[in-house]
Amino acid sequence: MTDIPDRQTSGLGFVGQRVKRVEDERFLIGEGQFVADLNPKGVLHAAFLRSPFAHATLNSIDVSTAAALPGVARVFTAAELNAVTNSFPPLFMIEGLYTPLYKCMSEDKVRHIGDPVALVLAESRYIAEDALELIEVEYHELQATGTIDQALAPGREQLWDRADGNILGDISADFGDVATIFADADRVITRTFNCPRQTNQPMETRGSVVIVDPATGHLEIHNTSQAPHFLKWAVAGLLVNDGAFRNLSRFARNKDRRKAFSAAAKAFVSTNKQKLLEQDPAGQKSQMKKDMSFLRAQARMAMGLLASNDYPTVKAGDIGGAFGSKGSVSREDIALAAAARQLGTSVQWIEDRVENLLDGGQAREERFTVSLAVDNDGTLKGMKVDAVLDGGAYASFPVSAAVTVLLWKLYMPGPYDFKAFELNAKIVATNKGKVVPYRGPWANETWMRERMLDVVAKELDISAADIRLKNVIREENMPAAFLTGPTLDETMSVAKTLDRALEMVDFDQLEQDKAAAEARGHRLGLGISSYHEAAPGPPNFFSSAQPGSDMFLHEDGRAEIQADGRIVMYTSQSPHGQSHQTTYKQVAADEFGVAMEDIEIVWGDTDRTQFSFLGTGASRGGPLGAGVMRMTARELRNQVVKVAADMLEAAKEDIEIVNGNIHVVGVPTRGTTYADVAAKVASDQAVSTGPVFKEEMKYEGVGNGGWSVATHIAWVDIDLETGQVEIPRYLVVEDCGPIINPGIVDGQVRGGVAQGIGAVFYERHHYDDNANLLSTTYMDYLIPTAMEIPKIEIEHMETLTKGENDARGVGEGGMIGAPAALTNAVSDALGVDVLEQHLPPYRLLELAGIISS
Amino acid sequence: MKNPPFNYHRPASVDEALALLTEHGDEAKVLAGGQSLLPIMALRLGRPEHVIDIGAIDELKSISVGGGITIGAMVRHAEAEKSAEVAEQTPLITAALPYVGHRAIRNRGTVVGSIAHADGAAEMPAVCLAIGATMHIASSTQTRQVAAADFFQGFFTTSIEANELLTAVHFPAQSTSAGSTVVEISRRHSDYAMCGLACMIDAPDGTIVSAALSFFGVASAAVRATEAEAALVGKAPNNETFAAAATIVSNTLAPDDDIHATAAYRRHIAGVLTRRGLAEATSQIGIRA
Ligand SMILES: Cc1cc2nc3c(=O)[nH]c(=O)nc-3n(C[C@H](O)[C@H](O)[C@H](O)COP(=O)(O)OP(=O)(O)OC[C@H]3O[C@@H](n4cnc5c(N)ncnc54)[C@H](O)[C@@H]3O)c2cc1C
């Protein structure tokens, strides 16, 4: 690793440098503060009884023996907890989608292996698990649905009464004149691609510690949440222990709350007038057609929020990864909070790995039948896709699988100049764990498209490079908007990364290497893939997917200087491995002209940080999170400079700050400090603690643009005798704009590529045809280790258009690009069409025709 | 993933351990390195009422030389892996051990524990079959010796009785005219093999006089490919001979499908490993002499 230049001697700022992560020390010496480290005194330990059947009705449950076990404080049945909580209502509605309502526990019917049916609270997790074995449940097994084909088969047992044919969503979109384009093209090429299930596997599982204040009953929830504010509202809204009528009358009597509510509602409506007008009621109608009761559930949730003055405090400390799986509110989170409130005692649930594999979050089981209309010279003209997404049993809350479909709608034609595109997507219910966003939730559109480009190139006898070069959208002839709606600008620089990546390949050498591999009984192939992602995307990105949906997507900033001169920056992000603490300190330290350790970053505590619907997600931490950090820091610095200028009897334009020394340019010896300026203001205001400077702002980013792009090229070497794979070279040329910390960007890219390598060669979440989960431990769900991950070469291009805040997100891209590059390389090596994403050694030998399938 | 309650015993001598086994028999499990037993208990797939930890018994901690190598029940994989005596006397063991899990697992897990556990995918039971190891088994009333061929009885099953302890395993020294190796194919580095082979070939004067092909990962217990072994004897150790043996192996093994590999794949790579293993073993001949 290159040495970090010393800022004092180099005169450089921190931004752009490979500064070491400030998080590392505490993590490496075991001083991180994860939920399991909290262990409050006297806390009760939770264990959930989970269904051993994929699909069954519950006839009876008897918890009496379990409840009598010494050390057990309480056993709750599903019915008991469901009675004091509301259904998870769909927040997210789109035309053609139906989201079944569900409760935190399953009392009549279980819908996947691991579905929670009872909750034990005991002195230790050991005793709690002992008690689980004493609960007697009588199940009546039902036909289970384990595959997309089964879900779509007529006459299949339904998971949900109102989801006819197990179809939860049937969503279509089209752009351009599809019929004419397809009729006029030289040919239409069609293939079907399959991707099996994967699971986001963070190192730290889910967990929640609910601390009850004995005096007030206030809940303080320490949770592994990517979105603590959303969790806080969800818990407040879903815990109604008094029933609707009592809540209503409490609301009616609660004058302050009512006032506050109507003021907030007015403010919201006036700031979001335009976006509210854009809202399309079709989604609500779709849901209503299937199930009116969601209105009641929404009303109950709202009532839950309005009836109570005491919302829980949610705190997210250090989090050991999530990859999207901790953005949703877990059923367990609600059950646990309800149990704590019922008992008046602190409780905790630290999910174990088996539970996490059962229902911690799963993804990517999708099928695509794609037809490309092309001309014989390789011009891409039209794309038609029939897609099916295996949605599992319960919709994750609030971001469900439907969001993936919406993003497909925008991304599928990729960075290429298609003239027409049509998508018909179905979401089917199966008896499997819940589907959550997983690092680049839409990513299979890139896999499917980039794989299909190679299929087409082969059929037209042109090279994989040429078909991309011919069709990629270039800056010179860039349209104002993609065919699918979002606007674009020079940050959509896929062509630049493609050109550069191809420049870095010696194709003559490749031919020699292929021959040498063949001589050893191996096959070598090269695969290319390119993609663009909204990180955060242009202002019309989310509204192109769903009108008005960007209403909650601004990033609020807040910063203070305390009376003692400490600089405290608040973020509504909830970092879980992305190194926000380091990058935000870099950005803020440069603005303030101080050392990184002079900046305190506060995150994850809903009592202290500003509201955010999303928390950390959707590649926003760099562009919006760091962007608002910079702007609030700058405002605050200016406030300080104004006071300092008075103190120094100078004009504020003449003030500079170097290493914390606030002085007139050229006169560093007569300077002052943040501490002195803060002390002066504090004494003027006659205060001794608390903030003396404050700044708050809403931030929506730099405007148009915001695309993050890359081209990946993979070399894959396959031993034709054994199917074992090596990746002799892996190249990423990426453009996420100006880089705040190259070390961290490299780490994000490498981690994403590693998960892509996992998806293709190692990771498959394996359910059998009866929806039994076979990969329930790490003996069977194989995550690649350092031994399986090759050196990954990364080349950065930093297209800068909007100035200093033009950083774009980079966390998801590695995972988006890798599966296509790798499967394309396999296809090139073996000379066959690869139509599936997961390729273990046996499958490679089947594809090579060496063994029979 | 927390184990059910159990009574923990930590005897200081073999006699004490045997007395405990006599007393608790079926309700007890011996704890050696714990690398297999503890995960099984945490997943509640096994629930012994008594756990008898033999980790404090010094008499079980030695590797001794004499007509080969005898490895005591508390010798860790890592110790045997780096032992010069083991490498000298029984190079097949030295070849096998680096494949057993990761370094951290080998630092705690024991060679004899792995043999007692009798996982059909594990390396050491196959090595025992290939070399013809002898099991030293004791109870409070008797000690007995069992040949490896009689010891392994199928899926995680051996001839150790509930009141018995496997105190040591004896491995005869490898013939000076023999060569041996372990080859295997696993999904990831250090995973249990989808198919593996412990093989030995003895060819004093350019003719094979004996061969052992001991497979793991292809059946409920380690298996010798006896037909292929017989076909090797009397032949010259060359690629043609090995290819013929490989064909027999692929045709005679009857592995199962699982989520990591199909039966057809396992049969295929068993043949590949036969060729590779025999060639590598042949190249080892004379290296130690
Ligand atoms: C992640 C992981 C990967 C692994 N990979 C491999 C691998 O690739 N190959 C491989 O071979 N192994 C592998 N193992 C298993 C490891 O080698 C174990 O160490 C071994 O299987 C058992 O040895 P142990 O000393 O840990 O035995 P324990 O776990 O203590 O005991 C295992 C069983 O043997 C019995 N037992 C142990 N000693 C005796 C004795 N002296 N007399 C009677 N019964 C006894 C116990 O009662 C128990 O039933 C892996 C383990 C892990 C956790």
Side-chain angles (χ1 to χ4, degrees):
Chain A
M1 190 153 291
T2 37
D3 274 349
I4 299 158
D6 176 0
R7 183 168 182 270
Q8 266 163 341
T9 53
S10 71
L12 294 170
F14 294 110
V15 170
Q17 296 195 55
R18 203 173 274 271
V19 175
K20 278 197 182 130
R21 299 191 338 139
V22 298
E23 294 90 345
D24 283 341
E25 184 174 332
R26 70 175 185 272
F27 292 164
L28 291 173
I29 64 173
E31 296 280 311
Q33 278 301 310
F34 299 89
V35 278
D37 293 317
L38 205 67
N39 231 338
K41 225 175 148 194
V43 73
L44 292 172
H45 297 256
F48 288 90
L49 183 68
R50 295 180 180 279
S51 167
F53 297 109
H55 203 189
T57 50
L58 268 83
N59 295 342
S60 67
I61 182 162
D62 181 354
V63 300
S64 54
T65 321
L69 186 75
V72 171
R74 177 74 192 261
V75 182
F76 287 101
T77 61
E80 288 172 298
L81 290 174
N82 287 350
V84 294
T85 54
N86 288 322
S87 296
F88 286 83
L91 290 189
F92 196 82
M93 283 172 270
I94 55 180
E95 193 170 2
L97 179 72
Y98 161 53
T99 305
L101 273 59
Y102 59 93
K103 289 264 191 164
C104 66
M105 307 280 283
S106 292
E107 63 184 277
D108 306 319
K109 191 174 177 186
V110 288
R111 293 183 178 83
H112 66 89
I113 306 259
D115 207 342
V117 299
L119 168 60
V120 174
L121 294 157
E123 278 166 20
S124 73
R125 172 85 186 203
Y126 288 87
I127 297 174
E129 288 193 25
D130 293 343
L132 293 184
E133 298 184 332
L134 302 174
I135 300 175
E136 280 173 39
V137 187
E138 205 186 296
Y139 294 94
H140 172 71
E141 237 188 307
L142 302 172
Q143 179 188 47
T145 291
T147 65
I148 285 176
D149 282 330
Q150 287 175 350
L152 293 173
R156 195 85 191 170
E157 186 89 48
Q158 279 182 202
L159 272 82
W160 302 97
D161 291 345
R162 297 194 175 98
D164 298 330
N166 286 316
I167 295 194
L168 298 171
D170 195 343
I171 298 160
S172 295
D174 59 274
F175 305 90
D177 185 351
V178 179
T180 309
I181 293 279
F182 268 75
D184 292 351
D186 288 345
R187 50 175 120 179
V188 174
I189 299 170
T190 302
R191 293 288 186 282
T192 296
F193 296 95
N194 276 291
C195 181
R197 215 170 190 78
Q198 299 160 20
T199 155
N200 323 33
Q201 282 296 303
M203 217 190 283
E204 183 199 24
T205 54
R206 292 176 295 168
S208 201
V209 179
V210 185
I211 298 172
V212 185
D213 183 326
T216 62
H218 178 74
L219 302 183
E220 182 178 299
I221 302 176
H222 296 254
N223 189 285
T224 55
S225 175
Q226 284 177 248
H229 284 277
F230 186 74
L231 177 61
K232 161 182 160 174
W233 286 63
V235 172
L238 294 179
L239 295 199
V240 274
N241 38 12
D242 297 344
F245 183 73
R246 292 275 296 279
N247 281 344
L248 191 62
S249 70
R250 257 211 281 159
F251 171 56
R253 275 183 279 119
N254 194 343
K255 209 169 148 201
D256 293 343
R257 180 111 221 126
R258 260 182 14 240
K259 264 197 188 147
F261 171 74
S262 59
K266 257 188 212 139
F268 183 81
V269 170
S270 70
T271 36
N272 293 290
K273 213 175 200 152
Q274 192 49 42
K275 284 165 187 168
L276 285 165
L277 285 173
E278 286 168 21
Q279 295 274 317
D280 179 357
Q284 294 245 359
K285 278 190 197 142
S286 255
Q287 178 74 25
M288 232 181 281
K289 237 178 15 200
K290 289 280 187 188
D291 184 2
M292 297 283 278
S293 75
F294 87 100
L295 290 170
R296 196 167 56 228
Q298 280 184 333
R300 278 178 174 249
M301 184 165 174
M303 205 50 80
L305 283 168
L306 295 174
S308 144
N309 274 331
D310 179 39
Y311 291 3
T313 299
V314 174
K315 294 186 179 181
D318 288 325
I319 301 176
F323 309 118
S325 64
K326 295 170 179 169
S328 50
V329 175
S330 295
R331 299 169 76 193
E332 290 87 346
D333 292 334
I334 300 302
L336 208 70
R341 181 157 282 175
Q342 294 290 304
L343 291 176
T345 316
S346 302
V347 300
Q348 77 172 35
W349 170 62
I350 306 299
E351 182 184 46
D352 71 26
R353 185 59 63 187
V354 175
E355 293 179 283
N356 188 261
L357 283 161
L358 288 173
D359 200 29
Q362 307 176 8
R364 301 248 204 278
E365 188 165 7
E366 291 145 10
R367 172 190 297 175
F368 307 89
T369 297
V370 51
S371 297
L372 291 193
V374 298
D375 279 348
N376 289 333
D377 67 355
T379 307
L380 302 172
K381 310 191 94 171
M383 174 188 263
K384 261 196 239 178
V385 180
D386 279 330
V388 189
L389 186 157
D390 179 334
Y394 299 93
S396 82
F397 177 77
V399 178
S400 69
V403 174
T404 293
V405 174
L406 286 184
L407 294 172
W408 283 346
K409 183 173 98 175
L410 302 185
Y411 281 130
M412 236 171 217
Y416 306 103
D417 190 17
F418 281 94
K419 302 294 181 216
F421 166 53
E422 177 183 317
L423 171 68
N424 299 294
K426 286 192 171 68
I427 299 170
V428 296
T430 58
N431 294 106
K432 302 187 201 167
K434 71 167 181 242
V435 168
V436 298
Y438 179 19
R439 202 171 196 170
W442 61 92
N444 271 343
E445 56 71 42
T446 289
W447 170 65
M448 171 282 287
R449 178 191 64 245
E450 295 294 315
R451 188 74 277 289
M452 189 62 186
L453 288 191
D454 279 22
V455 168
V456 170
K458 202 168 118 193
E459 214 162 296
L460 300 177
D461 199 23
I462 58 179
S463 76
D466 286 343
I467 195 163
R468 291 174 169 80
L469 290 169
K470 188 172 180 69
N471 293 286
V472 70
I473 296 173
R474 291 188 174 273
E475 212 176 313
E476 303 87 83
N477 51 14
M478 193 165 265
F482 283 105
L483 174 66
T484 58
T487 55
L488 71 168
D489 67 358
E490 60 271 42
T491 64
M492 213 298 285
S493 57
V494 168
K496 270 160 68 179
T497 64
L498 179 63
D499 292 343
R500 178 70 188 124
L502 291 172
E503 225 172 77
M504 293 171 77
V505 180
D506 180 340
F507 282 93
D508 294 333
Q509 183 65 42
L510 175 69
E511 287 314 309
Q512 289 174 33
D513 293 345
K514 281 185 172 182
E518 203 162 330
R520 287 184 294 127
H522 287 220
R523 294 291 182 273
L524 176 70
L526 176 141
I528 308 169
S529 87
S530 297
Y531 66 86
H532 69 293
E533 62 162 323
N540 74 338
F541 183 76
F542 284 100
S543 55
S544 302
Q546 173 78 343
S549 65
D550 48 352
M551 223 161 1
F552 302 103
L553 294 183
H554 49 78
E555 185 86 11
D556 295 351
R558 191 156 68 82
E560 294 165 358
I561 296 175
Q562 300 285 325
D564 58 6
R566 277 184 304 123
I567 301 170
V568 188
M569 310 287 301
Y570 300 86
T571 178
S572 56
Q573 294 271 319
S574 183
H576 45 281
Q578 301 89 343
S579 327
H580 289 67
Q581 218 187 338
T582 302
T583 46
Y584 289 6
K585 279 182 180 231
Q586 287 178 263
V587 167
D590 278 357
E591 286 300 324
F592 284 111
V594 299
M596 281 170 63
E597 59 262 31
D598 294 335
I599 308 282
E600 186 190 340
I601 307 287
V602 175
W603 75 91
D605 179 343
T606 56
D607 283 352
R608 301 182 71 196
T609 60
Q610 53 281 17
F611 177 79
S612 161
F613 183 80
L614 266 184
T616 289
S619 289
R620 300 153 48 84
L624 300 178
V628 72
M629 245 333 123
R630 178 178 277 124
M631 300 319 286
T632 38
R634 185 166 298 173
E635 287 303 317
L636 209 52
R637 174 195 187 275
N638 290 343
Q639 289 184 29
V640 170
V641 164
K642 226 159 121 192
V643 177
D646 281 351
M647 287 165 68
L648 296 170
E649 294 170 343
K652 61 183 193 305
E653 295 73 29
D654 296 336
I655 301 286
E656 70 171 0
I657 310 178
V658 178
N659 294 326
N661 180 9
I662 308 171
H663 57 265
V664 174
V665 178
V667 204
T669 45
R670 279 196 55 241
T672 180
T673 63
Y674 281 95
D676 288 344
V677 175
K680 162 114 189 4
V681 176
S683 98
D684 290 353
Q685 295 175 351
V687 295
S688 55
T689 56
V692 290
F693 293 97
K694 277 191 263 186
E695 185 60 45
E696 279 179 34
M697 67 169 70
K698 278 198 193 321
Y699 185 72
E700 307 211 349
V702 292
N704 200 19
W707 298 102
S708 187
V709 307
T711 293
H712 290 211
I713 302 190
W715 283 249
V716 171
D717 175 298
I718 304 165
D719 181 339
L720 268 200
E721 284 199 323
T722 65
Q724 285 171 300
V725 158
E726 270 181 41
I727 303 170
R729 189 175 173 202
Y730 198 103
L731 170 65
V732 177
V733 179
E734 69 80 34
D735 185 353
C736 65
I739 291 174
I740 298 169
N741 186 325
I744 287 169
V745 168
D746 287 353
Q748 290 291 316
V749 171
R750 291 202 173 97
V753 170
Q755 284 179 308
I757 292 171
V760 175
F761 296 118
Y762 302 100
E763 299 181 39
R764 172 168 183 193
H765 214 26
H766 207 119
Y767 282 87
D768 71 11
D769 286 353
N770 298 316
N772 286 310
L773 183 61
L774 303 180
S775 38
T776 54
T777 73
Y778 278 171
M779 297 271 286
D780 288 319
Y781 191 80
L782 307 182
I783 293 168
T785 70
M787 301 300 292
E788 282 73 44
I789 302 304
K791 182 171 171 239
I792 294 162
E793 254 174 90
I794 304 170
E795 173 107 343
H796 303 290
M797 311 191 86
E798 301 181 75
T799 299
L800 180 70
T801 66
K802 304 282 188 310
E804 57 204 354
N805 280 345
D806 202 19
R808 270 96 72 190
V810 74
E812 304 182 84
M815 173 107 218
I816 298 170
L822 293 162
T823 51
N824 281 346
V826 168
S827 173
D828 183 44
L830 298 179
V832 297
D833 279 356
V834 172
L835 303 174
E836 64 223 69
Q837 190 172 106
H838 186 60
L839 301 168
Y842 79 84
R843 189 61 194 139
L844 290 169
L845 292 194
E846 289 174 357
L847 288 172
I850 290 176
I851 60 172
S852 55
S853 47
Chain B
M1 277 174 77
K2 301 285 186 212
N3 53 266
F6 59 86
N7 298 301
Y8 177 74
H9 308 271
R10 193 169 163 89
S13 69
V14 169
D15 286 344
E16 218 183 297
L18 294 176
L20 286 163
L21 280 168
T22 304
E23 188 184 341
H24 301 297
D26 279 338
E27 312 301 321
K29 274 279 174 201
V30 172
L31 173 68
Q35 298 304 292
S36 295
L37 182 61
L38 297 186
I40 288 169
M41 289 168 62
L43 291 166
R44 297 189 176 226
L45 298 171
R47 45 179 67 246
E49 262 174 47
H50 297 270
V51 169
I52 302 168
D53 181 350
I54 58 173
I57 307 178
D58 288 338
E59 35 185 322
L60 297 177
K61 290 183 180 164
S62 61
I63 297 175
S64 56
V65 184
I69 277 285
T70 303
I71 297 181
M74 274 313 299
V75 173
R76 317 272 180 189
H77 294 301
E79 278 169 71
E81 185 183 355
K82 60 173 193 260
S83 156
E85 287 93 350
V86 170
E88 169 64 26
Q89 299 282 323
T90 51
L92 190 57
I93 297 178
T94 309
L97 289 174
Y99 287 112
V100 176
H102 307 264
R103 166 86 38 211
I105 286 150
R106 300 199 293 276
N107 284 341
R108 288 212 72 84
T110 64
V111 172
V112 171
S114 175
I115 294 165
H117 190 53
D119 187 332
E123 286 77 8
M124 281 312 297
V127 167
C128 290
L129 280 188
I131 309 189
T134 305
M135 311 296 159
H136 293 239
I137 300 174
S139 69
S140 37
T141 52
Q142 63 159 354
T143 60
R144 60 191 182 104
Q145 299 190 354
V146 180
D150 301 322
F151 178 77
F152 297 106
Q153 300 182 337
F155 191 64
F156 294 100
T157 315
T158 68
S159 64
I160 305 174
E161 298 290 339
N163 63 341
E164 289 180 324
L165 181 71
L166 180 57
T167 53
V169 178
H170 174 77
F171 301 87
Q174 184 171 307
S175 150
T176 50
S177 54
S180 64
T181 195
V182 171
V183 283
E184 69 172 53
I185 293 173
S186 56
R187 290 292 306 274
R188 293 171 307 181
H189 180 82
S190 292
D191 278 334
Y192 278 105
M194 291 180 282
C195 176
L197 168 66
C199 74
M200 176 152 62
I201 186 166
D202 195 353
D205 305 304
T207 304
I208 300 169
V209 297
S210 75
L213 297 171
S214 186
F215 283 92
F216 50 99
V218 293
S220 58
V223 283
R224 296 251 319 234
T226 47
E227 274 181 58
E229 290 171 357
L232 287 163
V233 174
K235 306 268 165 54
N238 58 33
N239 288 345
E240 199 185 324
T241 306
F242 300 158
T247 305
I248 301 175
V249 164
S250 289
N251 291 336
T252 51
L253 287 182
D256 285 331
D257 285 338
D258 65 22
I259 64 174
H260 299 300
T262 60
Y265 176 77
R266 287 198 163 89
R267 268 200 307 277
H268 169 79
I269 56 171
V272 172
L273 291 175
T274 303
R275 280 192 280 109
R276 290 185 180 181
L278 285 169
E280 202 179 305
T282 305
S283 75
Q284 299 294 315
I285 294 178
I287 283 182
R288 289 184 313 122

